[in-house]
Amino acid sequence: MLLADGWKDYRLIDAAHGEKLEYWGKYCLRRPDPQAIWADRSDAPAWKRADAHYHRSSSGGGHWEYARKLPENWQISYRNLTFNIKPMGFKHTGLFPEQAANWDYMTDVISKQKQPVRLLNLFAYTGGATVAAAAAGAEVVHVDAAKGMVSWAKENAASSGLADCPIRYIVDDVVKFVEREIRRGRSYECIVMDPPSYGRGPKGEVWKFEDELYPLVEKCAKLLSDRALFLMVNSYTTGISPTVVKNVLNLTLTRTRGGRATADELALPIGKTGMVLPCGSTARWQSF
């Protein structure tokens, strides 16, 4: 299990009854989480102190209920990185704190390299992996189909003091961009992707994880340079085991390039209970 336990500005206080209670900096948020199926709350009084509570609607979507007025956005930090937090219409805040386990991995690998490292971040969202890689010294190409998310990623880079780093931001359909990069003869030492379960590109292109992941990883394998370090796939798709994605990496990369593939759950520690909350999974192929 990959445990993101290095946070100081984020804390998962408790989880139960299909919800989680978290501190994002000084603000306490209560949000749905389908993994928290148990009934016992370890800190029952804390749930009453939530500054905002996201209520999911039975018909889809939901809304925030505020106990007090919160700023439109605020910042939290992880090590040397700073992120802008904004409660969104569908329960999210613009950051997945469990990904800190991957940021630490990337930082460790990239910072040890003596030659330039180019990293391609696909379905890059608000740029957690982008700023982590850039801070470690990588040149980054950040690709996402949502213009608003790319703008948010630029804000995070600026807040982390990385506005002048070599980061190229691309608003595009990921698959089409990868295909063009192959034709251009481009190459990268590292590739990270965080594909959605289901989504649409800027021109209505349909993405379905179980149908599109394998062919995308096959294409991305062609973009890895002779000095390739790793290719990482994050998954939040229900019903897809980490082993399934590991199998994809073994078939597309390990079988032809050597190295090794690993896969595990991502998780966050729950307060002082000693328990952890599973938060998706990560599969990594690495050449070393």
Side-chain angles (χ1 to χ4, degrees), residues 267-286:
L268 291 163
I270 304 174
K272 300 178 181 179
T273 65
M275 299 193 302
V276 300
L277 181 68
C279 307
S281 64
T282 288
R284 301 169 181 165
W285 172 84
Q286 60 186 44

Side-chain angles (χ1 to χ4, degrees), residues 67-139:
R68 64 166 169 149
K69 184 176 177 59
L70 300 185
E72 184 177 330
N73 61 79
W74 64 93
Q75 294 182 335
I76 66 170
S77 294
Y78 181 77
R79 305 196 194 283
N80 60 332
L81 309 175
T82 299
F83 301 101
N84 296 279
I85 303 303
K86 307 174 188 179
M88 300 165 65
F90 187 65
K91 83 172 184 176
H92 295 301
T93 63
L95 194 68
F96 292 86
E98 65 274 8
Q99 288 294 330
N102 283 326
W103 306 337
D104 288 346
Y105 169 81
M106 290 187 292
T107 297
D108 180 63
V109 173
I110 293 168
S111 62
K112 291 178 179 176
Q113 306 308 308
K114 296 181 180 179
Q115 295 182 348
V117 173
R118 293 158 294 186
L119 181 140
L120 176 61
N121 188 8
L122 302 173
F123 307 100
Y125 195 49
T126 61
T130 293
V131 297
E139 300 176 18

Side-chain angles (χ1 to χ4, degrees), residues 1-4 7 10 12 14-15 20 22 24 31-36 38 91 95-102 194 233-238 240 242 264-270 275-283:
M1 180 168 286
L2 303 173
L3 190 62
W7 280 97
Y10 169 87
L12 176 56
D14 201 1
K20 56 188 173 184
E22 313 156 291
W24 295 81
R31 301 189 293 155
D33 195 297
Q35 297 290 341
W38 49 91
K91 83 172 184 176
L95 194 68
F96 292 86
E98 65 274 8
Q99 288 294 330
N102 283 326
D194 196 348
V233 181
N234 295 306
S235 172
Y236 292 90
T237 301
T238 303
I240 299 294
D264 214 333
E265 285 185 307
L266 291 165
L268 291 163
I270 304 174
M275 299 193 302
V276 300
L277 181 68
C279 307
S281 64
T282 288

